[in-house]
């Protein structure tokens, strides 16, 4: 036993246990997120129950739990039909259930608002379409929905693009008018008259398109379907408000798999709806990836250059030691402090100065003097710079001094030694710093809440309008999306599935970006490892 303690076996077992516990905790986190996230989009059976009092209810059974101080279980139904019941979920005790059925004709509607609808299809009304007598109501609904989608992505989509283009033109004309007025140009000036005439032409074209769009929407609003819930209450739903409809009790495994894939596609490439609790997450995914990319452009070069100076050029002394202590302490400062600094320095300081210098005609409406993806990226860049500095300096410090002396002895300058020998050898460690910086930046939310992130961004930071990249725009972020729907949503229970899905998506993005960086780091390590001998 004494030999066991003397050899330090207890330390080996202790460190192994700590590593095992850490891996188990990480694995548990991932498993919990995957289990609760992957099954959200699988089409569950629709259950219809008849209660002992004669009432009926229909929906998906979400979970079961034991009745408190009683016998049996109670079931949580997702009954949807929020426009009829005012709620999404309902608990029913098994003792209150007289009969349970899984009707084949049960229909689930995913709608633009009011959540899912559970019921039966009664009839379809479509003045623009001609149905044959042999077509069932389900076939009629399929044809009507196909017609509506064609119109929405065809003529209506073209009209929406024209309106977007005219809005961009209007914004540019108004900016020119404001600039001339700010310079003191009188109202009757020729340039102003030309701009006003151009604006009038744009307005007339805009109104013409709005009239066409309204006519198209009115025509589509006449395509309707009538449904009935379990109690027989009828509801007329415009087909244009139906995102997706299906009968899960009739779906085969292949159809359910196809449905699941289509939902995943919508999640990644679709737009959010229902206060971000339904639909896709493309704006949040795009904003998260772009934020990390812009942050890396700042923190990576700045951190590497600072570490090179501290390790290779600065003379050791109290000042350098003080700087190193400050850098290490900066890595532990709460992120909200960086957010306050970013708001004061970047948004109000630099952004306000840019507005006063280049956009004075737009004041007091700010252009860069308000939150945006540029300022959020710079704030996160400062937050992660200490991580890059520490990792780079440690990587440079691990290179033997003899390598530097040998390179200098062969006639290379200090700059050549740094660029051709030291940096390639330290590149795996530098990439480690970048990986840690990206992983931390991807999960930070507090600084973003006051430097540019929003619940719903009307436009992406990159689009087809000049100058194509709009760094002054606000953006969406997956981390803030989780906070918003998980804690700020008026219907938290209904938003819970999307919380797990968004969390899983954020974890996957971090893993993918980190995996790419790790792959590059390993390639660098294999390529330059021979130089350490």
């Amino acid at each position: 036993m004494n030999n066991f303690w003397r050899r330090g076996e207890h330390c080996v077992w202790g460190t192994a246990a700590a590593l095992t516990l850490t891996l188990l905790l990480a694995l548990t986190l991932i498993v919990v997120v995957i289990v609760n996230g992957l099954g959200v989009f699988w089409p569950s059976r629709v259950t219809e129950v008849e209660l002992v009092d004669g009432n009926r209810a229909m929906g998906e059974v979400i979970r079961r739990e034991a009745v408190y101080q009683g016998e049996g279980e109670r079931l949580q139904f997702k009954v949807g039909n929020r426009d009829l019941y005012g709620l999404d979920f309902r608990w029913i005790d098994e003792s209150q259930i007289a009969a349970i059925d899984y009707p084949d004709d049960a229909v689930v509607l995913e709608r633009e608002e009011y959540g899912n609808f559970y019921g039966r299809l009664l009839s379809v009304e479509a003045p623009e379409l001609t149905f044959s007598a042999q077509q069932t109501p389900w076939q009629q609904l399929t044809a009507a929905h196909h017609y509506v989608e064609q119109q929405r992505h065809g003529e209506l989509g073209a009209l929406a693009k024209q309106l977007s283009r005219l809005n961009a033109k209007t914004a540019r004309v108004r900016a020119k008018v404001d600039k001339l007025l700010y310079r003191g140009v009188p109202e009757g000036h020729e340039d102003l008259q030309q701009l006003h005439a151009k604006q009038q032409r744009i307005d007339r074209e805009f109104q013409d398109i709005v009239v066409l769009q309204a006519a198209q929407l009115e025509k589509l609003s006449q395509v309707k379907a009538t449904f009935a819930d379990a109690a027989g209450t009828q509801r007329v739903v415009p087909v244009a408000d139906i995102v997706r409809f299906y009968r899960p009790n009739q779906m085969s495994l292949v159809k359910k798999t196809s449905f699941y894939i289509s939902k995943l596609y919508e999640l990644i490439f679709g737009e959010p709806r229902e206060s971000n609790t339904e639909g896709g997450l493309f704006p949040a995914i795009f904003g998260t990836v772009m934020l990390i990319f812009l942050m890396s452009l700042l923190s990576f070069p700045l951190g590497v250059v600072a570490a090179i100076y501290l390790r290779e050029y600065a003379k050791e002394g109290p000042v350098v030691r003080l700087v190193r202590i400050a850098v290490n302490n900066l890595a532990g400062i709460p992120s909200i402090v960086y957010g306050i600094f970013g708001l004061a320095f970047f948004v109000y300081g630099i952004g306000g100065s840019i507005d006063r210098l280049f956009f004075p005609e737009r004041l007091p409406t700010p252009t860069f003097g308000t939150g945006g993806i540029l300022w959020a990226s710079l704030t996160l860049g400062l937050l992660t710079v200490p991580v890059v500095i520490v990792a780079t300096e440690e990587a440079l410090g691990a290179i033997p001094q003899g390598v530097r002396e040998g390179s200098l002895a062969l006639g290379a300058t200090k700059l050549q030694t740094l660029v051709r020998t030291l940096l390639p050898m330290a590149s795996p460690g530098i990439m480690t710093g970048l990986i840690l910086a990206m992983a931390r930046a991807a999960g930070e939310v507090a600084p973003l809440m006051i430097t540019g992130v929003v619940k719903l961004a009307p436009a992406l930071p990159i689009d087809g309008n000049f100058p194509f990249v709009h760094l002054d725009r606000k953006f969406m972020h997956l981390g803030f999306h989780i906070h918003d729907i998980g804690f700020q949503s008026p219907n938290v229970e209904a938003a819970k599935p999307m919380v797990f899905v968004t969390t899983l998506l954020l974890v996957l993005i971090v893993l993918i970006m980190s995996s790419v960086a790790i792959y590059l780091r390993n390639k660098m390590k294999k390529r330059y490892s021979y130089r350490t001998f």
Side-chain angles (χ1 to χ4, degrees):
M1 192 64 180
N2 291 335
N3 192 32
F4 174 84
W5 292 102
R6 186 169 56 252
R7 291 201 312 264
E9 293 290 338
H10 61 290
C11 296
V12 176
W13 283 98
T15 53
L19 175 61
T20 304
L21 179 61
T22 303
L23 293 177
L24 285 176
L25 290 175
L27 182 62
T28 302
L29 169 65
I30 294 175
V31 169
V32 169
V33 172
I34 289 177
V35 169
N36 289 276
L38 288 181
V40 170
F41 299 135
W42 189 260
S44 302
R45 287 192 306 176
V46 175
T47 304
E48 184 178 20
V49 295
E50 181 180 356
L51 306 181
V52 293
D53 58 4
N55 293 323
R56 306 180 75 89
M58 180 184 293
E60 301 176 27
V61 178
I62 303 300
R63 59 175 173 170
R64 297 169 175 263
E65 65 178 33
V67 177
Y68 179 69
Q69 291 183 347
E71 296 182 358
E73 293 182 324
R74 64 173 186 165
L75 286 66
Q76 186 185 33
F77 280 77
K78 183 179 180 180
V79 294
N81 304 15
R82 197 183 308 147
D83 49 340
L84 294 178
Y85 311 144
L87 47 84
D88 282 286
F89 299 89
R90 178 182 176 183
W91 287 97
I92 300 177
D93 290 346
E94 279 188 329
S95 59
Q96 299 176 357
I97 299 175
I100 297 180
D101 188 23
Y102 303 96
D104 290 339
D105 60 345
V107 179
V108 181
L109 302 182
E110 292 184 18
R111 301 180 288 178
E112 293 287 351
E113 56 183 0
Y114 299 120
N116 289 355
F117 184 94
Y118 297 90
R120 291 177 172 86
L121 174 62
L122 299 181
S123 63
V124 178
E125 178 185 350
E128 296 293 325
L129 299 177
T130 302
F131 299 128
S132 65
Q134 290 75 25
Q135 285 183 299
T136 64
W138 183 259
Q139 293 172 334
Q140 294 175 3
L141 178 60
T142 303
H145 190 265
H146 180 68
Y147 166 75
V148 169
E149 289 299 306
Q150 278 187 327
Q151 296 296 316
R152 179 179 290 167
H153 294 98
E155 187 173 349
L156 278 175
L159 293 176
K161 290 180 180 178
Q162 293 181 40
L163 291 178
S164 177
R165 176 179 56 83
L166 292 176
N167 279 328
K169 284 186 176 180
T170 298
R172 290 195 292 268
V173 171
R174 288 177 179 173
K176 292 179 180 179
V177 171
D178 291 341
K179 186 171 292 186
L180 291 176
L181 292 176
Y182 179 79
R183 293 175 179 174
V185 176
E187 278 289 347
H189 193 272
E190 181 181 358
D191 292 341
L192 277 177
Q193 294 297 327
Q194 292 178 354
L195 289 174
H196 287 318
K198 184 177 181 180
Q199 183 62 57
Q200 290 175 358
R201 291 194 299 270
I202 294 174
D203 290 341
R204 286 194 297 270
E205 186 178 355
F206 190 91
Q207 290 301 323
D208 293 340
I209 296 176
V210 168
V211 171
L212 291 175
Q213 187 183 50
Q216 281 292 109
L217 292 175
E218 176 64 24
K219 185 168 62 175
L220 291 184
S221 67
Q222 297 176 7
V223 182
K224 304 173 183 178
T226 303
F227 298 87
D229 70 347
T233 305
Q234 296 187 7
R235 172 65 63 181
V236 178
V237 181
V239 177
D241 291 343
I242 300 176
V243 178
R244 188 180 286 105
F245 59 96
Y246 55 99
R247 294 182 291 196
N249 294 348
Q250 291 188 15
M251 296 173 70
S252 63
L253 180 60
V254 175
K255 289 184 177 180
K256 288 186 176 183
T257 304
S258 176
F259 177 89
Y260 186 81
I261 294 174
S262 68
K263 290 287 289 184
L264 290 180
Y265 181 85
E266 180 191 32
L267 176 71
I268 298 174
F269 298 102
E271 299 289 330
R273 64 177 189 273
E274 285 276 359
S275 299
N276 291 347
T277 60
E278 298 286 347
L281 296 174
F282 178 75
I285 296 172
F286 187 90
T288 303
V289 174
M290 186 173 179
L291 176 75
I292 297 174
F293 178 75
L294 292 176
M295 176 277 304
S296 302
L297 290 180
L298 171 72
S299 65
F300 186 64
L302 186 61
V304 171
V305 170
I308 289 173
Y309 177 78
L310 286 175
R311 176 61 61 177
E312 301 298 328
Y313 291 97
K315 293 183 180 181
E316 290 295 332
V319 176
V320 174
R321 287 195 295 270
L322 184 63
V323 169
R324 286 200 177 97
I325 293 174
V327 168
N328 292 328
N329 288 334
L330 284 174
I333 292 179
S335 59
I336 189 64
V337 177
Y338 284 96
I340 298 297
F341 174 80
L343 179 66
F345 182 73
F346 292 125
V347 178
Y348 294 152
I350 298 179
S353 299
I354 291 175
D355 283 349
R356 288 189 293 271
L357 289 174
F358 300 101
F359 307 101
E361 70 279 359
R362 302 185 187 180
L363 293 175
T365 303
T367 302
F368 281 92
T370 184
I373 192 168
L374 175 62
W375 307 136
S377 301
L378 292 175
T379 302
L380 285 188
L382 288 181
L383 186 148
T384 54
V385 157
V387 178
V388 179
I389 292 176
V390 172
T392 304
E393 195 174 358
E394 291 296 327
L396 290 172
I399 301 174
Q401 186 63 27
V403 174
R404 298 173 175 82
E405 295 172 354
S407 178
L408 295 174
L410 292 173
T413 64
K414 192 165 187 177
L415 180 60
Q416 291 173 331
T417 301
L418 175 67
V419 173
R420 298 184 180 181
T421 304
L422 300 183
L423 285 181
M425 294 175 63
S427 58
I430 297 174
M431 290 299 296
T432 300
L434 178 62
I435 294 168
L436 296 174
M438 289 192 305
R440 182 177 182 186
E444 289 293 347
V445 176
L448 305 181
M449 296 173 66
I450 52 180
T451 56
V453 74
V454 290
K455 175 184 178 73
L456 184 63
L460 296 176
I462 297 179
D463 59 18
N465 297 321
F466 183 83
F468 310 116
V469 179
H470 309 273
L471 297 180
D472 59 310
R473 287 183 180 174
K474 300 184 185 300
F475 66 103
M476 295 179 66
H477 186 270
L478 289 173
F480 181 76
H481 190 272
I482 295 171
H483 165 77
D484 177 60
I485 62 177
F487 302 97
Q488 304 296 323
S489 174
N491 196 350
V492 176
E493 188 70 23
K496 190 183 298 183
M498 186 59 75
V499 172
F500 286 106
V501 171
T502 309
T503 303
L504 178 60
L505 203 55
L506 180 59
V507 171
L508 288 177
I509 289 176
V510 173
L511 288 178
I512 291 172
M513 299 187 73
S514 299
S515 298
V516 172
I518 291 172
Y519 172 76
L520 295 176
R521 182 189 65 181
N522 292 338
K523 288 195 67 174
M524 293 176 181
K525 189 174 182 180
K526 290 179 181 179
R527 180 174 181 180
Y528 299 114
S529 60
Y530 71 94
R531 297 190 180 188
T532 60
F533 294 97

